[in-house]
Amino acid sequence: MQELFHEFFSAKNFLPTITLFELVSSFLLNSLVVWIIVHFFYYPKGHRRDYYFTFVLLSVSIFMLIYLLLGASGDMGIGAALGLFAIFGIIRYRTESVPIREMTYLFFLVALSVLNAKTGDLNFLGRVAVNLLMIFVVWASENFLSAYREGCKFVKYDNIELIKPERYEELKADLEQRLGVQVLRVEVGAVDFLTDMTMLRVFYHDPNRRIKSVDRLFKVNQENAF
């Protein structure tokens, strides 16, 4: 017992090593880049604190798992990383349906954490360059590929007389009055002539450029109504 005590508190166990420095530097770099992507690119449009929390903790856990357990295992580490993608693709967080944007960020941040944990052949400057490239891709995608002020919501509509092509402008005017938004265009979906109901996909001007998960709802759930 005494030997174990002395072995544990020996000076060599508390001396900083190159391995520890590499771990801390890689961890800080990965955490900083993940935070920048989540805080400055995802959150301003999504405003979902639950996914903010998930993205950060998941990235940290994936990084530590790959770096500490599989960092020196070569191809096995890559196989395990790919296995993580397969697992997430199957379970899809079964507690709720994850929107496509959040799922994309999820896979992107998992890939980023795996890359930061497996770039042992690169020096610190090389790792910084890789992360800057990843940040640039997210910035370009958010500002150019999705740089539009257009929202979209599904509406169950009761006046099917207005869905005729010749009354399109009347349909837009009616929706603008009811919804209180500037309607850009309307797409007509399924029509039920028995109940005089139809499903519309309404595109409207959204000056805030926020992505609202509630707009993706197809029907009102009476059990969760409030």
Side-chain angles (χ1 to χ4, degrees), residues 97-115:
S97 179
V98 181
I100 186 64
R101 184 170 185 265
E102 280 71 13
M103 181 59 68
T104 302
Y105 267 99
L106 176 65
F107 279 91
F108 184 87
L109 294 174
V110 168
L112 177 65
S113 299
V114 172
L115 288 176

Side-chain angles (χ1 to χ4, degrees), residues 32 98 113 154 171:
L32 176 62
V98 181
S113 299
F154 294 92
L171 173 63

Side-chain angles (χ1 to χ4, degrees), residues 29-200:
L29 176 62
N30 182 74
S31 300
L32 176 62
V33 173
V34 168
W35 177 77
I36 290 174
I37 291 175
V38 175
H39 188 78
F40 292 102
F41 297 112
Y42 166 75
Y43 188 73
K45 290 185 179 180
H47 284 271
R48 291 288 300 271
R49 290 190 176 274
D50 50 350
Y51 284 113
Y52 194 123
F53 170 85
T54 300
F55 291 155
V56 173
L57 290 191
L58 183 66
S59 299
V60 170
S61 61
I62 292 296
F63 173 84
M64 298 301 288
L65 175 65
I66 298 297
Y67 192 96
L68 294 178
L69 297 182
L70 305 171
S73 59
D75 294 338
M76 181 179 291
I78 300 299
L82 294 176
L84 292 173
F85 283 100
I87 292 173
F88 288 125
I90 294 173
I91 63 174
R92 283 182 59 87
Y93 282 173
R94 294 265 180 192
T95 54
E96 66 173 294
S97 179
V98 181
I100 186 64
R101 184 170 185 265
E102 280 71 13
M103 181 59 68
T104 302
Y105 267 99
L106 176 65
F107 279 91
F108 184 87
L109 294 174
V110 168
L112 177 65
S113 299
V114 172
L115 288 176
N116 284 327
K118 295 293 294 182
T119 53
D121 296 334
L122 296 177
N123 57 18
F124 187 75
L125 180 60
R127 298 178 186 179
V128 171
V130 170
N131 283 271
L132 289 178
L133 287 174
M134 300 291 278
I135 293 176
F136 173 78
V137 170
V138 178
W139 173 81
S141 299
E142 288 286 3
N143 288 277
F144 296 101
L145 298 181
S146 61
Y148 55 87
R149 297 179 181 273
E150 183 180 277
C152 174
K153 65 170 71 247
F154 294 92
V155 177
K156 193 174 181 180
Y157 192 62
D158 57 352
N159 191 355
I160 63 173
E161 290 296 324
L162 297 183
I163 67 174
K164 298 176 181 179
E166 61 270 16
R167 305 188 67 177
Y168 179 72
E169 294 301 325
E170 295 181 53
L171 173 63
K172 288 178 58 178
D174 186 51
L175 289 171
E176 287 182 350
Q177 182 181 4
R178 293 193 185 191
L179 298 177
V181 297
Q182 180 184 350
V183 177
L184 301 177
R185 65 184 189 277
V186 182
E187 296 178 357
V188 180
V191 179
D192 188 345
F193 289 104
L194 296 179
T195 59
D196 289 337
M197 300 294 293
T198 183
M199 181 64 69
L200 303 179

